[in-house]
Amino acid sequence: MTKIAELKDKGAVVAWSPIGDHADVVALGSKEKGGIGFDDYGGELELYDWNITQNNHDGGMPEPTLLGSVKTATRFGSLAWSTGDIDTSILAGGMLDGTVNLWKPSALIGAAGGSVTAEDALLASVQRHEGAVSALKFNPHADSSNLLATGGTAGQVWMMDMATTQTMNSVNVYSPNGDDANGSSLGGEVTQVAWNSQVSHILASSSANGSVVVWDLRQKKPWCELRVESNNSSVSDVAWNPTQGLHMMTASEGGQGGLKLWDLRASTSMPLTTLEGGHAGGVLSMDWCPHDDTLMVSCGNDNRTLLWDLYSLRPIAEIPAEDSAAPSNQNQQNGGQPNDFYGGGLGTSQQKRYDVSWSPCRRGVVSTCSFDRKVQAHSVVGLATKCGRPPKWMSPASGVSCGFGGAVVSISNNTNSDSQQPQRYVTIDNVVEHPELVSASEKFETEFGAKDCIAYCHDMTARASDAYEGQVWSFMQIMFETNAREELLSYLGFDPEKIQAAAMEFTEEDDGIDEDGGDASAATKGAPAMSQRAENTVKDALLVGNFEAAVECCFRSGNLADALVLASCGGADLWQKTQAQYFAREAKNRPFLSLVSAVIHDRLPDLVAASDPAKWKETLAVLSTYGKSEEFPRLCAALGERLEGEAAGDFANASLCYMCALNLGQAVKYWKFMLVEKANINNEEKSSATTTEDLLSLHEFIEKVTVFTQALDSSELELDDDVAKLFAKYAESLANQGLFVAASKYLKGCGDTQECKELRDRIYRSRMGGFCPDLISSPPDFPYDFVNVGVASDLQGITVKQGGVQQMMQQHQQQLEHPSYEVASVDAAQTANQVQQQQAQVQQSQQQVQQSPQLQPTQSEGPSSSSLPPGWVAIQDPTSGQTYYANQNTGESSWEPPAAPAPQPAVTSNTYAAQPSAASQPSPTIQTQGSYSTSNGGSTSQKVASKYGDGFVTSASNPQLAEQYGNVGTSNPYSNANRPGTAAAAVGSTSKKAPVSGTFDPHSMPALSEEYQYLQDGLMAIVEQLSACATGSMEKKQAAESRKAVAVFIKTVARGGVDAQICNRVGLMLSALQNRDYGSASSLVTGLVSNEW
């Protein structure tokens, strides 16, 4: 059940509260006399709160609450509630005696304890109508909410200005046609008035004589008049589209009337369409949903209340009527209802509803009033979803979707200041989440590209945040110097020129005491004296030529200088042995001798192994001075390993040594350690700023590694897994900020992980993919494997052939490499033009296949392109991997191969025959574009698209209409829900004739047979007169459309495309027009449009 609230024994007219704070409040004006008997006790105005949002724990409906009431002298014919708040809004009641009473709702609310007097609530009373006030509406626009339109049973329409009603209790009354004395008379009872939803000075009024007048209050005259019903049956209701100011719906009480949709831009004489499949009889009331312009509710003489989907122009649900059950126990205890006197519940005829209305505040809530004196509220939210889409009020007013590279697509509804119509905006922004990272990256890319490496490293040294960073960038700068070793010595504090000057100027002062505490005078005078015995031993050894013994004796006697002099005369072996012994004896007293020994004996690795970690700069200086080019990197790496040892643990200075060794893998270990330490510290803080700091730290790491790699002579540098992951993370961070070009540069050495493959592919296919030289020169592989998951063997009656994926790929590739063309032309020029177009299509298809890995060449089991009719191509469905066929000229598609065109014996004006060549037989006739099409069969009565063929009532050329109501014109080739865009099987494929041109040229019209020549002469004369009489833009447009329609009709008759019966009916219509019998002519046109066209 849809019923959510009910008021019984209330035969009344209803007006919903438009105030958000009182959304569940309704005003009821008694339409029928209450009580039992023949006495007339007047009427009553009541305010009820439905309590729709009240939580009823027992599962039943909430009990409405009476907020206040006031007695009236007469009963109500209509009721309306103006916009505003509870203090400024006005309740207007149209009474049966022709009076319009205005009340203050604020005076009524809160008076439930007892009825208030009329004087307390009444603002003003206006008597201008000669009969009952049957319709009244307040202007919904904020700038004109003081205007009230009223209509009466005497056919008068009056405007009432409430601008001074609240303060002076006065109302300004005037007529919409400027005749303020007599008013505007429509010649019949005014059944409804409706303000335009977009333009505040446009008003529509419906009449019981079958017409609707659209008033322009500024011009004070009718803008147009619609003859809704030719048989003068009553137009019971009229409503404007809530979002389209030129769309109108009319309802008629006549048995053949119903609901008609009008587009005032196209025609004021013929509706856009008539809603069918709904009420069997006339329509008593209808209301267009203010929250979703595709929904409408109506009630009719057939005792049905229907919910319509205006997109499909069909009813989607019926709001059920009250069951005719036996009276409840409570009613029996209370004496029963008056209608229960004759045997219980009412039949369906007594449950007929005469009024339906949407709540302006509660979305999806409808009120109904029925002849069995019941006022009900229904929730149609569930019913509204039966159209296959959610109601618009369930759609979010705004939404956002985040895309790749910081792209953010947002939708929003904004109301224009000049119009109440919400405008839908789609905004595409590029949101930068970390602007500091973007700034740092752009600065690095700009400066590093504009400067040389030495200058950039020098600037980075000056901007270093700490001493270690300064050392790193200084070492980085030295790596790019041509005299790197000299610069390294200078940076370590060992300037050769300064050292030479200090040695040349060195003088040792005589302080009388040597280092051992002895007399220093002896050392300054020369070597210590040799004893006589030692001197004799040395002399004897020299006499026999035993220099080795003489050197040994000198060492034992302490005369080291004499030993070195004698060793120089004893050969190379003795010289080396003597040097080694000398260095071993004196290294403790003179530490520099160990350095001399290592240099002389080429033992720098041993020097590094025995070096003091605290004096690593001296060791590095020695390696820079005496190390050979081929062994220098190895020695620096050994020094770094010694600094990393457990005894030293100096990882920072070790990384500098690895930099000198050009060992990137070892140098970045400490940089990664620092990066992890900063990340751990930031993770403990857990703030948004820490994420930016992490990315900036990562940027500094990438910056150092990038500059370091410039010093390495290797174009194919392979990074280890950890560094590659950091590069991939950095590239992803840049891509998320929209820096695609910079991100692509850092993906080169990231390896072939799945994440890197996906990121390369996304950047390559992004809007900036064409500006990434690294990806353009070598397009990345598609990161996913193509897998044919297959399709169902029978999908909604569509049979799909299962074929091998490899075969489909091979055949599609063959079609691309060796395309075949079928040219149907008369002359060589047209042949060349078609060939060029097909070649362009093939080239475009090849580019799509190359650029889109999802659409790989396939081979199907169907025929090759050479056997397809002109315009048809074979395309692979990227979802299923199967091949379907599409007509590039008509937009049709089919899983099954299209049939070849049947040969035709003759060539007409719309077909061409291929010229036979000397080596071939004459080819069959081939039709041109538009000759091959498919259509889904269906009865004519079910085709909304086949009703209107006059051109100006079609929505095919109006995207807004096509989107809102679907295509209801003859240019729509689809007869059911099958729409282009997905491959669907062609059912009942038939060949259609070429379209008929709508060009109207009296001198080139085809000649008709004598039987129908009078049709051509009469129709052409009428359209010529219409063109001559047309003055306004709308009339000129209608005249032009009429010329087009007549041209299409005459040409179709000449081709034999119109039945004789239809031609005879058109002749009757022509005769009626010539005799000025416009009623009969209109009936004939309506019959042709409804049943034939």
Side-chain angles (χ1 to χ4, degrees), residues 1 78 121 140 226 233 239 252 364 452 487 514 523 532 566 635 666 689 826 870 872 883 971:
M1 295 292 292
S78 54
L226 308 179
S233 61
S252 302
D452 57 11
E487 293 294 336
D514 61 6
Q532 187 62 40
L566 294 175
L635 295 173
Q666 294 295 329
V826 177
W872 287 89
T883 299
S971 60

Side-chain angles (χ1 to χ4, degrees), residues 231-441:
N231 56 2
N232 295 329
S233 61
S234 175
V235 179
S236 58
D237 210 341
V238 62
W240 293 94
N241 188 320
T243 59
Q244 301 289 339
L246 291 173
H247 297 170
M248 177 190 293
M249 187 75 70
T250 59
S252 302
E253 291 188 20
Q256 301 299 326
L259 298 169
K260 295 181 179 180
L261 177 64
W262 300 76
D263 181 11
L264 301 185
R265 293 173 297 185
S267 174
T268 58
S269 60
M270 187 173 295
L272 181 67
T273 186
T274 300
L275 276 62
E276 295 182 349
H279 297 286
V283 179
L284 299 179
S285 176
M286 59 96 180
D287 196 15
W288 211 318
C289 180
H291 307 113
D292 189 345
D293 57 0
T294 64
L295 296 178
M296 189 189 68
V297 64
S298 65
C299 61
N301 287 322
D302 57 355
N303 304 334
R304 301 177 69 195
T305 303
L306 301 178
L307 181 66
W308 294 81
D309 175 22
L310 297 183
Y311 189 85
S312 62
L313 304 176
R314 308 291 293 181
I316 56 176
E318 179 178 356
I319 300 177
E322 186 71 20
D323 296 334
S324 57
S328 63
N329 295 331
Q330 183 178 359
N331 291 337
Q332 293 177 1
Q333 294 175 2
N334 295 335
Q337 298 293 334
N339 294 320
D340 298 337
F341 181 77
Y342 293 102
L346 297 173
T348 57
S349 61
Q350 288 79 16
Q351 297 177 17
K352 182 191 304 182
R353 291 170 176 143
Y354 57 84
D355 180 74
V356 289
S357 177
W358 291 89
S359 170
C361 298
R362 295 294 181 198
R363 300 175 178 179
V365 177
V366 177
S367 66
T368 61
C369 302
S370 57
F371 287 108
D372 59 351
R373 299 178 58 81
K374 290 181 181 179
V375 179
Q376 299 174 342
H378 299 264
S379 175
V380 298
V381 176
L383 300 179
T385 59
K386 291 186 177 181
C387 62
R389 62 185 183 277
K392 288 186 178 180
W393 64 77
M394 290 185 176
S395 302
S398 61
V400 63
S401 178
C402 298
F404 180 57
V408 176
V409 180
S410 59
I411 57 174
S412 61
N413 288 335
N414 295 331
T415 301
N416 193 349
S417 59
D418 298 334
S419 173
Q420 295 296 327
Q421 180 180 359
Q423 301 294 331
R424 195 80 165 175
Y425 291 95
V426 179
T427 307
I428 302 177
D429 296 322
N430 190 24
V431 178
V432 177
E433 186 179 2
H434 303 286
E436 295 86 353
L437 175 63
V438 174
S439 177
S441 176

